[in-house]
Amino acid sequence: AQRVTQPEKLLSVFKGAPVELKCNYSYSGSPELFWYVQYSRQRLQLLLRHISRESIKGFTADLNKGETSFHLKKPFAQEEDSAMYYCALFGNEKLTFGTGTRLTIIP
Amino acid sequence: DGGITQSPKYLFRKEGQNVTLSCEQNLNHDAMYWYRQDPGQGLRLIYYSQIVNDFQKGDIAEGYSVSREKKESFPLTVTSAQKNPTAFYLCASRKHSGAPRNEQFFGPGTRLTVL
C-alpha cells in the first residue's frame, strides 16, 4: 500500500520568512512524487515534481529516500503563496494524496 | 481554459436520489480519475479508468458507479447507497506516455450538496 503523510494541517508564516511544508511517504517501489497547489477559487494544479528537480515560483523539493521525505521549501515567503498544498505519490497507476497543508502568509 | 471540464459547478439533490456528474476532456488523455475532496481528508480516489470500457475501484468506491464508453468522457454517478455524498468532486486525466509523465490534470470540480 502507498501512503502520503502531511503532518501539518495549517501553517502560518510571516512574509519574507522561510517556508517548509513537510511530506513523508511509504511505498515499496521507486516513488514518483509531486506537489500540487490549489489557490483560492482556482483548480488544483501541479507545482513541481521530483523528477525534473526544478524550482517553480521559488519553491524546491528534494526527494530523500533514506528519510522517505519530499519536503517543500521556499527561502522567502510571499503573500501570493497562501494556498492549499498537497503532496502526492504516483504508484500502481494511481496518484495518492496527503491530507494537505493550508499555508497562510502573514503580511 | 479548456482541457478538462466538469458540469455542473454546483448540484443540489434530495436524499435518496441518484445523481450523475459529468467530466469531459479534450486533451486526448488515456486515463481518467474521480476524486472526492473533503476538508482535512485531502483527495481520495473513487474510481479510475486506464482505457475505454475499463475501470477500477479506488479507495472509496462504495456508493458510486462510473462508465467509460468514450475516451473523452468519464461520468460519475453518486447513488443513494452513498452514505455521505455531500462533497467536492474532482475529475482528472493523464496520458500514458510522453511528457509530462504521470502528471494529472484536474477539472474545476463539482460541489454536490444532498439535502
Side-chain angles (χ1 to χ4, degrees):
Chain A
Q2 56 201 62
R3 179 177 288 183
V4 176
T5 303
Q6 293 179 252
E8 305 134 330
K9 283 192 188 321
L10 304 169
L11 183 64
S12 294
V13 173
F14 284 101
K15 180 181 172 182
V19 175
E20 183 178 41
L21 283 73
K22 291 186 167 48
C23 172
N24 287 88
Y25 67 89
S26 64
Y27 183 59
S28 56
S30 184
E32 188 167 354
L33 286 145
F34 301 83
W35 276 98
Y36 280 81
V37 61
Q38 192 170 31
Y39 299 104
S40 179
R41 296 189 182 86
Q42 293 187 29
R43 65 178 71 189
L44 195 64
Q45 58 187 282
L46 180 69
L47 180 61
L48 53 79
R49 74 192 79 206
H50 90 269
I51 283 178
S52 52
R53 300 183 64 81
E54 58 200 342
S55 173
I56 302 292
K57 298 185 180 183
F59 285 98
T60 58
D62 290 319
L63 179 61
N64 185 324
K65 291 187 178 180
E67 295 182 0
T68 60
S69 69
F70 188 56
H71 303 327
L72 183 68
K73 299 178 183 178
K74 184 170 183 175
F76 307 104
Q78 298 171 287
E79 287 185 62
E80 55 264 34
D81 295 330
S82 291
M84 192 74 180
Y85 291 80
Y86 291 98
C87 182
L89 181 151
F90 186 84
N92 299 315
E93 299 298 328
K94 57 185 182 179
L95 206 55
T96 297
F97 287 84
T99 50
T101 298
R102 181 168 297 283
L103 175 65
T104 301
I105 306 303
I106 305 166
Chain B
D1 157 61
I4 303 178
T5 56
Q6 291 184 243
S7 61
K9 190 173 180 181
Y10 299 98
L11 191 53
F12 296 88
R13 278 296 180 269
K14 290 184 180 178
E15 197 170 334
Q17 288 182 331
N18 291 357
V19 61
T20 298
L21 282 61
S22 166
C23 177
E24 305 276 333
Q25 54 99 359
N26 63 4
L27 301 168
N28 198 31
H29 282 179
D30 307 286
M32 296 186 74
Y33 302 79
W34 273 106
Y35 295 89
R36 173 181 168 136
Q37 188 178 27
D38 296 283
Q41 297 195 59
L43 278 75
R44 292 179 291 166
L45 183 64
I46 304 172
Y47 266 99
Y48 61 107
S49 168
Q50 302 291 343
I51 56 173
V52 174
N53 292 323
D54 189 39
F55 47 82
Q56 290 80 39
K57 291 182 180 180
D59 301 317
I60 55 164
E62 186 176 349
Y64 299 98
S65 66
V66 293
S67 63
R68 186 90 185 275
E69 297 176 3
K70 298 187 297 182
K71 188 176 184 179
E72 317 80 70
S73 178
F74 191 41
L76 173 75
T77 297
V78 184
T79 75
S80 55
Q82 168 50 232
K83 296 191 188 325
N84 186 19
T86 294
F88 190 59
Y89 290 87
L90 285 172
C91 180
S93 68
R94 174 181 77 89
K95 58 181 178 179
H96 281 164
S97 59
R101 186 165 156 257
N102 293 332
E103 178 183 346
Q104 288 190 11
F105 292 79
F106 285 82
T110 291
R111 184 164 297 282
L112 172 64
T113 303
V114 175
L115 306 169

